[in-house]
Amino acid sequence: MFLFTILLCQFFGLISFKTMSMKNFKCLLFFLVLVIMGGTRNCYVVESPIVQVEMDKAGMHRTLTYRLRFDYPLVGKDCEYVLLQALPASVYISTDELDDLQRLKRLSAVYPKFVNIEVATERAQPFSVLLRGTPKITEALGLPVHFRYHAPSDKRSAATVAIPLPELYLNCPTADSELVENELVARPDKLYCLNTAESRFDENVVKEGQPTTMAHLERCNWRRVHVECQLKAPLRAEIPVGQANAYGPVLCGTILLGWSLALWTIIRSMANTRRINQRLNEQRLLQQKVK
């Protein structure tokens, strides 16, 4: 490249191998700067996105807070990202709560339309929530989550629930596809389809003879990328578990307490009724004496 620059300047009569004036030196320096700048631009590697994840420390109702940071080349493009957060069976979401957040434009997410919030952990199923957005230098997202109760046990008094780290997917148009380089992609040989009905990603498997439409290309142009997850504390929660051996005594105590309260309420009501009737009779007698 250096030799090409000298020959180019010599062709235009700006430099000679025998003599080099200040003007010729400036020309050479100018071309060298252009070459270096072009080489630097071509050699720039997009850094992996950074996701800081934090969860409230106590309670059955908590919030997962995400702080995302993207490299400059990905910002301002027509790319889109999806942060996939897998949730175990012991965690659920309130669809009404997320609907309100989306209506207020505080969240853009894909999640199951119905989640049974009353079923215990042992009968629940894991699922995923997809948080959507466009790459920005910094962005903060909040996902409210709730923990389920566990079935009583005679072996433990608490259950540890661990929430896995999120996965990040990028979808860029063909013109900007070079931004998602192989060094950034977790599986360069794989493309994924966004399955909004099941709130998940499916591997793009092209069947022989299947027509390829523009809608299919846009839906199945997602790539899973490397992400640097930073945690202030482990994403774990200790959920209390009832004692199975205490079921009998608790049941008997509950029945006795319930019947006792019911009898007390009946006796108290009858006593109040007698007192009220007595006062009414006294008022009638007093009215008859006055007449």
Side-chain angles (χ1 to χ4, degrees), residues 11-284:
F11 175 77
F12 287 102
L14 298 176
I15 189 172
S16 174
F17 289 110
K18 296 180 179 179
T19 61
M20 181 181 294
S21 63
M22 183 59 65
K23 181 179 179 180
N24 296 337
F25 178 76
K26 290 181 179 180
C27 171
L28 179 61
L29 185 61
F30 174 74
F31 277 108
L32 286 176
V33 171
L34 290 179
V35 171
I36 293 174
M37 289 179 63
T40 304
R41 181 183 62 185
N42 293 332
C43 294
Y44 184 84
V45 178
V46 179
E47 295 183 359
S48 299
I50 299 175
V51 179
Q52 297 177 345
V53 191
E54 186 178 2
M55 184 174 65
D56 297 340
K57 296 181 180 180
M60 299 290 288
H61 312 283
R62 309 190 189 188
T63 299
L64 286 170
T65 303
Y66 308 90
R67 292 178 176 85
L68 295 89
R69 286 188 293 172
F70 289 91
D71 203 0
Y72 287 96
L74 292 173
V75 178
K77 303 295 182 181
D78 292 332
C79 299
E80 183 183 6
Y81 75 82
V82 165
L83 192 68
L84 186 149
Q85 179 61 70
L87 298 176
S90 52
V91 179
Y92 70 92
I93 59 170
S94 171
T95 55
D96 294 334
E97 187 177 16
L98 296 190
D99 289 343
D100 290 338
L101 291 175
Q102 294 211 100
R103 180 177 54 83
L104 297 173
K105 299 188 182 303
R106 295 173 54 187
L107 189 69
S108 177
V110 178
Y111 45 87
K113 297 301 180 183
F114 174 76
V115 176
N116 192 340
I117 65 176
E118 297 180 355
V119 68
T121 297
E122 288 72 19
R123 292 185 294 165
Q125 297 294 328
F127 61 95
S128 299
V129 177
L130 311 180
L131 305 178
R132 308 182 68 167
T134 56
K136 299 179 180 63
I137 298 299
T138 58
E139 185 177 14
L141 303 173
L143 176 63
V145 295
H146 313 274
F147 291 90
R148 299 182 186 274
Y149 288 102
H150 290 67
S153 173
D154 56 354
K155 298 180 180 179
R156 56 178 182 172
S157 61
T160 301
V161 178
I163 297 180
L165 295 177
E167 300 175 359
L168 186 64
Y169 294 81
L170 278 178
N171 183 5
C172 291
T174 306
D176 298 325
S177 59
E178 69 275 1
L179 294 174
V180 187
E181 301 175 350
N182 289 341
E183 292 80 5
L184 190 64
V185 179
R187 295 289 302 273
D189 58 332
K190 300 292 184 182
L191 288 175
Y192 296 88
C193 301
L194 177 59
N195 188 343
T196 56
E198 301 292 336
S199 67
R200 69 185 186 192
F201 281 96
D202 299 325
E203 184 178 337
N204 183 22
V205 179
V206 179
K207 297 181 180 180
E208 192 172 337
Q210 179 181 2
T212 303
T213 61
M214 185 59 65
H216 177 79
L217 291 176
E218 293 178 355
R219 189 175 63 88
C220 298
N221 193 36
W222 292 88
R223 294 177 181 270
R224 182 182 174 187
V225 299
H226 293 292
V227 60
E228 180 182 346
C229 287
Q230 299 177 354
L231 303 178
K232 291 186 177 181
L235 301 179
R236 291 198 297 266
E238 296 292 329
I239 307 301
V241 177
Q243 291 293 324
N245 295 331
Y247 178 78
V250 169
L251 177 62
C252 294
T254 303
I255 294 174
L256 290 175
L257 181 61
W259 277 105
S260 300
L261 290 174
L263 290 174
W264 179 84
T265 302
I266 294 172
I267 294 172
R268 190 70 177 173
S269 300
M270 293 176 64
N272 290 335
T273 303
R274 286 194 299 267
R275 186 172 61 255
I276 292 172
N277 291 333
Q278 183 178 359
R279 289 181 179 178
L280 291 174
N281 291 330
E282 291 176 355
Q283 289 181 359
R284 290 194 192 97

